[in-house]
Amino acid sequence: MPLLRAARLLSVLLLCLAPLAHAGKPGATPPAGTVFPSPLLHSQDITYSVVLYHPTPPKGDVVAEARKLLTSNHKKLAGTWKRGAPAPEVDVRSVPTEDIEHLEEYYLRYFARRLSDEERKRLMGARHATRLSFHVPFAKRNESLLEASRFAHQVAAEHGAFLWDAETREYFAPQHWKQERLDNWNGGVPFVQTHITVHVYGEDEDVRFITLGMVKLGLPDLVVEQVPRSMTQEMGVLINGVAQLLAEGLELSSDGTLNVDLARVKHVRARGQLEARTQKDARRSMKLRAIEARRDRGDPENHLLELSFPGSGTPHERQLAALDTLFGKKPDNITPVEPGDAELEAVARKARTRLNELRPRVEKGLHPPEQLMVKAGFRTDDGSSEHMWFEVTAWEKDRLRGTLANEPFGVSGLRRGSSVSVTLPEVDDYLYTRPDGTEEGGESSRILMRREEGR
């Protein structure tokens, strides 16, 4: 009797990197692939910026008023950087009109996702801007980041400006900035994932992860290479967990290993999110290797630490083993179905017709959030059939190729993330995410869930 799965919904954490080139690299960077030097884990000299975009000409002298506000309400930042006794300092200045680049709507769809269409239009029309540049010692990184976030929010709110985090490249309205950057602190510890962003991009079956914004905490940005598209959610959770641990004081051993213990996360909300992802069989701790990451176009101007996974086998197999160790194996719902099920066969015929219509888009290449998943049967060890979902990464000649999204129950030769391929007549269903994020398909999953609820 064939076994069928309901759809496992996947989402990419952020869209492809915008076409931004980096101007240089941090000094004294070791070659890619070598052990990450422990002295580079912490930057003693932290700099970052927030730019305020004024959609209408500001009233009054924004720079003078901001400087006055700094000395009266935000004294923790109103110091002077002195050799041997550095104190947080802020530079406030207007951005020359000729230096304010026109913002494209396409770009803002990626980096101003929290803004409404009307807010984006107003932001695109901004011809005035104020830059807030922060210079902070590592010893005061957390308290300074909180105060800097408060200061930027107050100036923006008082002058009706949008905020641009130059390190994460994200745009905010003041209310969104407050919700994400101010309302999630816990005992002086930031909820790190609201202060950074994670870019996920790639052209083939594998994608690359890289964080942006860790520089604000005096830490390197994190990289993971060669991740199957079907493992993006779990890998994103792991990266956020490691980033949180580093912000809370996780150190790098002399041999270049990080002792990642998710049970040691202190921030209440961050710990709760990790626990919600963890199965009962999870060990929750393991050692990861820290190596110097390769640089790619658009990478942040910061040291880059690549997380490397121990063990033997392919990169996919080692990543999956690490995720199983830290979070445990999440079982999929499996529903027995008799061969020749008329309702499901009708769904399959309709799916194949629609896939033929989508084929030109797939062959041209899909760009997140656009995504195509298909369900097909795979022969089990006992000779029956197990129907599973996989994300399509290519359609070559008569075969759809991609990476498996489900954990097989009875196919010992496959694991979640394995490369698979099928012909169109083998497809049972499809799930297509359109460029605007809406979805179609997945009818077989709704049928199976309806039947399960009726038992």
Side-chain angles (χ1 to χ4, degrees):
M1 182 179 297
L3 302 174
L4 280 79
R5 317 280 182 118
R8 168 180 285 182
L9 301 181
L10 304 173
S11 62
V12 174
L13 302 174
L14 195 68
L15 307 173
C16 304
L17 279 175
L20 301 173
H22 56 275
K25 300 177 182 179
T29 301
T34 57
V35 174
F36 191 89
S38 55
L40 297 184
L41 187 65
H42 298 159
S43 173
Q44 302 302 321
D45 192 345
I46 303 170
T47 59
Y48 50 91
S49 298
V50 176
V51 177
L52 308 182
Y53 282 86
H54 306 279
T56 58
K59 298 178 181 179
D61 188 334
V62 177
V63 172
E65 292 176 19
R67 288 172 177 168
K68 183 178 179 181
L69 186 67
L70 181 68
T71 56
S72 61
N73 290 19
H74 304 276
K75 294 181 180 179
K76 292 181 180 179
L77 298 173
T80 302
W81 190 279
K82 297 179 181 179
R83 185 177 297 237
E89 60 180 359
V90 184
D91 178 65
V92 184
R93 63 183 62 196
S94 296
V95 179
T97 304
E98 61 270 19
D99 291 342
I100 301 175
E101 295 186 7
H102 176 69
L103 300 174
E104 299 289 343
E105 183 178 357
Y106 174 82
Y107 181 82
L108 293 181
R109 282 210 311 267
Y110 295 159
F111 294 95
R113 293 171 296 120
R114 301 164 186 82
L115 302 185
S116 66
D117 290 342
E118 179 60 31
E119 287 173 327
R120 290 176 190 170
K121 289 179 182 178
R122 293 176 59 220
L123 175 58
M124 289 171 63
R127 294 296 177 266
H128 302 269
T130 307
R131 178 180 289 272
L132 314 177
S133 300
F134 302 93
H135 192 190
V136 176
F138 183 80
K140 296 186 177 181
R141 63 197 181 281
N142 284 353
E143 61 183 271
S144 296
L145 179 59
L146 176 56
E147 199 65 27
S149 300
R150 286 172 174 162
F151 175 56
H153 175 262
Q154 186 170 1
V155 177
E158 290 183 359
H159 293 276
F162 294 101
L163 302 98
W164 181 57
D165 184 331
E167 315 313 323
T168 66
R169 307 170 190 170
E170 297 173 292
Y171 295 85
F172 299 82
Q175 68 269 25
H176 301 133
W177 181 274
K178 180 179 182 297
Q179 290 166 3
E180 297 209 14
R181 301 297 174 87
L182 297 179
D183 292 347
N184 289 298
W185 288 73
N186 178 220
V189 176
F191 186 30
V192 174
Q193 70 183 63
T194 64
H195 291 271
I196 66 173
T197 191
V198 183
H199 284 183
V200 183
Y201 67 102
E203 296 296 331
D204 300 314
E205 293 184 1
D206 297 339
V207 293
R208 181 181 190 246
F209 281 70
I210 183 167
T211 66
L212 284 81
M214 293 290 284
V215 66
K216 295 180 291 185
L217 295 162
L219 297 166
D221 278 293
L222 305 178
V223 174
V224 180
E225 301 273 7
Q226 296 181 276
V227 181
R229 291 178 183 271
S230 58
M231 290 163 53
T232 54
Q233 284 189 347
E234 294 93 333
M235 191 60 72
V237 173
L238 171 58
I239 289 173
N240 282 332
V242 174
Q244 187 71 43
L245 285 168
L246 287 170
E248 293 181 6
L250 175 64
E251 295 288 347
L252 184 62
S253 68
S254 59
D255 64 351
T257 59
L258 289 169
N259 186 14
V260 176
D261 187 347
L262 301 180
R264 291 183 176 274
V265 170
K266 300 173 185 176
H267 191 283
V268 174
R269 185 175 173 189
R271 185 171 65 247
Q273 286 194 353
L274 290 168
E275 289 174 349
R277 292 275 187 170
T278 303
Q279 305 299 311
K280 291 182 179 180
D281 63 337
R283 284 174 46 192
R284 303 187 68 187
S285 67
M286 71 176 303
K287 291 184 178 181
L288 301 180
R289 288 189 65 233
I291 62 176
E292 186 69 31
R294 71 174 180 87
R295 288 195 165 270
D296 202 357
R297 184 171 180 265
D299 284 350
E301 288 307 304
N302 190 18
H303 291 295
L304 303 181
L305 184 158
E306 179 181 345
L307 299 176
S308 179
F309 300 86
S312 59
T314 67
H316 297 177
E317 290 169 341
R318 289 185 280 112
Q319 291 167 6
L320 187 57
L323 292 172
D324 287 346
T325 297
L326 289 168
F327 300 108
K329 294 182 180 180
K330 185 177 180 180
D332 288 323
N333 293 326
I334 300 176
T335 304
V337 174
E338 292 292 341
D341 187 296
E343 190 176 18
L344 293 175
E345 286 189 349
V347 169
R349 287 192 297 270
K350 190 165 78 172
R352 292 165 196 153
T353 299
R354 178 59 175 141
L355 285 171
N356 266 325
E357 297 171 353
L358 292 171
R359 181 170 184 168
R361 297 190 66 88
V362 179
E363 290 178 331
K364 186 178 179 180
L366 303 181
H367 299 284
E370 196 176 16
Q371 181 188 53
L372 177 64
M373 297 184 68
V374 298
K375 183 193 287 185
F378 297 87
R379 190 172 182 82
T380 62
D381 297 346
D382 63 5
S384 61
S385 181
E386 186 172 348
H387 295 249
M388 296 180 283
W389 290 92
F390 71 88
E391 182 178 0
V392 176
T393 56
W395 195 331
E396 300 170 351
K397 296 182 179 179
D398 64 337
R399 301 195 74 83
L400 294 94
R401 303 183 183 278
T403 56
L404 198 62
N406 293 118
E407 188 63 48
F409 180 77
V411 186
S412 60
L414 295 176
R415 288 293 311 271
R416 179 163 49 91
S418 294
S419 296
V420 294
S421 68
V422 300
T423 61
L424 183 59
E426 297 174 274
V427 172
D428 302 320
D429 199 0
Y430 79 106
L431 184 63
Y432 173 55
T433 303
R434 304 184 186 95
D436 63 1
T438 59
E439 295 179 343
E440 64 175 80
E443 190 175 347
S444 67
S445 295
R446 291 190 289 274
I447 291 171
L448 294 174
M449 286 188 278
R450 186 192 71 214
R451 291 178 181 180
E452 285 292 317
E453 291 171 357
R455 289 186 176 182

